[in-house]
Amino acid sequence: MRALLSLAVGSFGIGMTEFVMMGLLPDVARDLLPALWSDSPEQAIGQAGVLISMYALGVVIGAPTIAGAVARFPRHRVMIGLAIALMLCNALAVILPSFGLIAVARLLAGLPHGAYFGIGALVAADVLGPGRRAQGVAFILTGLTIANVVGVPLGTFLGQRFGWRSAFLVVTLVFALAALCIALCVPAHPGDPGRTLRSELGVFRVPQVWLTLGIGAIGFGGFFAVYSYIAPLVTEVAGAPAWAVPLTLVLVGVGMTVGNLLGGMLADRDLRRTLLGGLVALALVLVLLAVLASSLVLLIALALLVGLVSSVLSPAIQTRLMDVAGDNQSIAAALNHSALNIGNSLGAFLGGAAIAVGLGYTAPEWVGAALAALGLGIAALAYRTERSRTPVSAGVPR
């Protein structure tokens, strides 16, 4: 258990560094883009949003390349190295002076993200043993979901009060603690000396891997379509005051934490039903949210459910990737986070486009439901085209 907690400390730090920037964009824009801010705060905030995209780009690039390159090394040592890299890259955001350099720092900070979760998931699954793999994956992801409940609100408060760089100083300290805990508590875990980046990239020749990545990028993108625009849903559709927005976000985080742990247990019992049922539930809850969002009480309750059912999917998708990848475990486990960050960008873009063309602030919910339904179709196709469960070179899918 100490090993899992140590890995979860790092995932908590990743949750903070990924999402705290969203609440601090005005502060960052005011500090790093003063001339543009004086002319148009809206344009300055819009340009500062590039920092979020740069982090996501780093995740997409770094997840397969880093995970594939380090597959042959002992995994416990790789995890220490990744935690140290995350510490150093986030420290750059504390000291670098200009917007351009901070953008580079955010790109660098995103590079180890997917590899940390992917290789950490393999270590956690090995620690808990057969029959509890998805629960091990879920435990590591729990650090990220708890960050949305505690770390992000705390970092936002500190950043608004003491300057936005103070939030990244806290993140840097969290990763320093994670590196120490991993070094002391995670047992030796061998890599595969025969694996190379070239051999790991062979995972892209497995059709089921592509289908599973599509489930994550498109189906889970439905959550991001809604999460990205929850603030105007609360204030404009429900007519609630601004203080209701952080309350709603905290409850979404609570739902994510519970759903993640529940999803791990359900996936260990029946991965197929958890994946398909989770996508059905996500689509239905998003439709209900679109219809009932004018009531603040119902909106908050449904927002909690959105967080819950979406996070039920996370350990299921991660475990499914590990199942279908065969020998390419390290890169497959990390690719899930590339897919989720593509889903982040896709969902946010389509939700924003629906609002921009005048469909209203409930439009992202309909977009999200459509994406979840499309993800369900991809999952159904994956299981329909899957071969028998007899072991083959691509692994033993579930």
Side-chain angles (χ1 to χ4, degrees), residues 83-108:
I84 292 174
L86 285 160
M87 176 189 72
L88 295 175
C89 292
N90 278 278
L92 293 177
V94 181
I95 60 175
L96 292 178
S98 68
F99 180 82
L101 290 175
I102 294 296
V104 173
R106 294 304 292 160
L107 175 69
L108 294 175

Side-chain angles (χ1 to χ4, degrees), residues 53-111:
S53 300
M54 291 297 286
Y55 184 91
L57 178 62
V59 178
V60 173
I61 295 172
T65 53
I66 294 178
V70 302
R72 65 184 184 274
F73 299 113
R75 289 171 180 161
H76 63 291
R77 294 181 182 174
V78 169
M79 295 303 295
I80 296 171
L82 291 172
I84 292 174
L86 285 160
M87 176 189 72
L88 295 175
C89 292
N90 278 278
L92 293 177
V94 181
I95 60 175
L96 292 178
S98 68
F99 180 82
L101 290 175
I102 294 296
V104 173
R106 294 304 292 160
L107 175 69
L108 294 175
L111 292 176

Side-chain angles (χ1 to χ4, degrees), residues 157-176:
F157 170 77
L158 292 174
Q160 291 172 341
R161 181 151 190 180
F162 302 107
W164 65 270
R165 295 179 191 271
S166 64
F168 289 94
L169 176 59
V170 172
V171 171
T172 300
L173 295 175
V174 169
F175 284 124

